[in-house]
Amino acid sequence: MARLKVLIAGGGIGGITAMLALRQRGIEVQLFEQAAAFGQVGAGLQVSSNAARILLKLGLGEALKRVATYPDGRDYRGWDTAERLYYTPLGQKAEAHFGSPYYAAHRAELLDVLLSGLGEHGFRHGARLDRVDQDQGGVSLTFADGSTAQGDILIGADGIHSTVRAQLFGKELPRYTGNVAWRGLVPAERVAHLDLGSVVGVWMGPNRSIVQYYVSAGKTFNWIGISRSSQPAQESWLAEGRTEDALAEYDGWHSTIRTIIAETPKILRQALYDREPLPDWQVGRVVLMGDAAHPMMPFYAQGGAQSIEDAYVLAGCIAEAEGRPLDALARFVRLRQPRTAWMQGLARREEELYQMNDVAAIRARNDRMRANRIPETATFPPEQERLYGYDAELELQKSG
């Protein structure tokens, strides 16, 4: 039997993880990235235990540990008083409970960790995909420069603006979620006097929220503020905002938050869009994964983590299918669609939890949350048990 060859469109977190996982299983793979270099953009992200478990299986644990931070817990506070309303353990408690660490990292540094396992071959930059064709014998890619590539399977890991998705299902207009994200990175010394602690801080307020934590081995403080707005911004990682506008958005918030915003050298303002769910991610020998398949709101910090899960499960399905690519892709979709759909819904529910604006509802929420706010006795809520306890290897074994 001829050796299987897998093609990947997209060199982000999901695409590179898929390449590493396929190589680990002895499968030939070639990756195509449209940019001239792997993109070192973005800000902080959380590498939760479900994703870290996979990166450790890929041999990247030590490299990740060097650049990440290891927060002790997730600390939920009120927007104006800074009262602690809720707490869930991370750090050693989460690692012991879930069997793998929970990290926070800069997106560019996580990408560097993944690239450290990639080597110098098997990928091509400047490859802007123009057309996808397939037949019973395989799949063919045509690029904007006229070059082509052939393989047995194509993985569309090309993000929320996916060319592969548009090829399979037609172009669609993005749906504005009604939220704008403000992002910033602050040198740690500028906020050292605030005593922010080694936590993922979640600040909840009417119609807006902020999540914050250290990245880059503690050298940089990362924050993302999300606010409901009828005026969408650009849908771009690089769209800049103004400090005075961000301060106006968070007018009346606790001085800690306003100081962090004021100390931020450059603020980004990005509209949050999503796409309508797809009934299937597979068409023949082509399959979508990550944001190309299931873009989600950032309220549970799972965009990157779910792409990592996708990548590992997809590689396992392909390796175990013994030359039956259509069966492999169908199994992948069956395994992953229910979990990612649940995660998309959970992220939407968190938006309402964080940003509710009804006074009675806020009072009821705060009273309910205060029952789990003592760090020494705090426990993991059921959704975190389900989310962080996920073991991709075990899921493959159970479905085999």
Side-chain angles (χ1 to χ4, degrees):
M1 185 175 65
R3 189 181 181 197
L4 192 72
K5 182 177 182 181
V6 177
L7 309 178
I8 300 174
I13 290 170
I16 296 174
T17 304
M19 188 170 189
L20 295 175
L22 286 161
R23 279 184 174 177
Q24 188 181 65
R25 292 175 180 268
I27 295 170
E28 183 182 359
V29 56
Q30 188 170 15
L31 183 147
F32 301 91
E33 166 57 38
Q34 69 174 5
F38 290 116
Q40 307 293 333
V41 298
L45 82 174
Q46 295 174 54
V47 186
S48 47
S49 299
N50 47 309
R53 180 179 289 109
I54 292 168
L55 298 181
L56 267 59
K57 289 178 186 292
L58 294 174
L60 301 173
E62 287 304 312
L64 179 59
K65 190 175 182 179
R66 283 195 293 272
V67 300
T69 60
Y70 188 66
D72 293 328
R74 185 179 283 106
D75 193 21
Y76 298 76
R77 293 182 180 265
W79 66 284
D80 49 355
T81 66
E83 177 197 1
R84 174 179 287 151
L85 298 170
Y86 194 72
Y87 189 92
T88 56
L90 295 175
Q92 292 182 354
K93 286 186 178 180
E95 185 165 3
H97 188 76
F98 296 115
S100 57
Y102 190 114
Y103 291 123
H106 191 290
R107 183 177 293 269
E109 291 174 346
L110 174 60
L111 197 61
D112 284 341
V113 168
L114 294 170
L115 291 172
S116 71
L118 203 58
E120 299 297 325
H121 67 282
F123 54 86
R124 187 180 133 199
H125 293 123
R128 183 178 292 276
L129 185 61
D130 189 50
R131 195 175 76 247
V132 178
D133 297 292
Q134 62 173 311
D135 56 28
Q136 291 183 344
V139 61
S140 176
L141 310 185
T142 303
F143 299 95
D145 63 1
S147 63
T148 61
Q150 286 74 39
D152 298 288
I153 288 172
L154 170 64
I155 299 171
D158 50 344
I160 195 167
H161 299 290
S162 172
T163 298
V164 179
R165 177 173 172 145
Q167 287 272 315
L168 296 183
F169 302 106
K171 291 186 178 180
E172 58 188 328
L173 291 173
R175 184 177 68 114
Y176 178 50
T177 64
N179 287 275
V180 168
W182 304 80
R183 300 177 189 269
L185 294 165
V186 190
E189 60 271 16
R190 290 196 182 187
V191 293
H193 63 288
L194 296 176
D195 192 24
L196 296 166
S198 178
V199 295
V200 175
V202 180
W203 295 68
M204 303 179 294
N207 293 316
R208 49 192 56 80
S209 57
I210 281 188
V211 176
Q212 57 185 37
Y213 45 86
Y214 284 98
V215 297
S216 303
K219 296 190 291 290
T220 305
F221 192 73
N222 169 83
W223 62 272
I224 171 174
I226 299 178
S227 62
R228 293 172 177 164
S229 172
S230 60
Q231 300 296 321
Q234 286 181 257
E235 188 186 13
S236 168
W237 278 107
L238 303 177
E240 292 194 26
R242 300 191 308 168
T243 300
E244 55 266 39
D245 292 338
L247 285 169
E249 190 73 43
Y250 289 89
D251 183 39
W253 278 55
H254 193 269
S255 60
T256 294
I257 294 299
R258 295 183 59 77
T259 300
I260 292 167
I261 293 172
E263 291 291 344
T264 304
K266 183 171 76 172
I267 290 176
L268 303 180
R269 182 176 183 266
Q270 171 198 19
L272 296 178
Y273 289 81
D274 64 10
R275 305 297 191 271
E276 290 300 322
L278 292 168
D280 200 348
W281 305 339
Q282 177 195 7
V283 174
R285 294 171 174 267
V286 184
V287 73
L288 303 175
M289 61 160 282
D291 282 350
H294 48 74
M296 57 188 64
M297 298 285 282
F299 286 96
Y300 233 104
Q302 281 293 300
Q306 292 304 304
S307 294
I308 290 169
E309 286 185 10
D310 278 357
Y312 195 84
V313 172
L314 179 52
C317 289
I318 292 171
E320 294 167 17
E322 298 180 353
R324 303 187 311 279
L326 273 64
D327 292 346
L329 303 188
R331 180 186 173 208
F332 162 72
V333 175
R334 284 196 308 272
L335 284 176
R336 293 297 300 160
Q337 262 195 335
R339 178 165 168 85
T340 57
W342 168 74
M343 189 63 247
Q344 286 173 299
L346 183 60
R348 287 191 290 269
R349 290 193 295 276
E350 286 293 283
E351 178 198 358
E352 178 55 29
L353 179 72
Y354 289 7
Q355 302 186 164
M356 60 178 59
N357 55 26
D358 178 81
V359 173
I362 291 171
R363 186 182 303 114
R365 177 199 67 187
N366 292 354
D367 289 345
R368 186 172 65 250
M369 293 181 82
R370 288 187 183 102
N372 196 66
R373 64 173 175 169
I374 309 301
E376 291 74 20
T377 58
T379 58
F380 301 99
E383 63 271 16
Q384 289 185 15
E385 295 276 3
R386 179 177 174 182
L387 178 55
Y388 304 144
Y390 179 89
D391 187 327
E393 190 76 64
L394 187 60
E395 293 301 313
L396 283 164
Q397 292 172 10
K398 288 193 315 190
S399 72

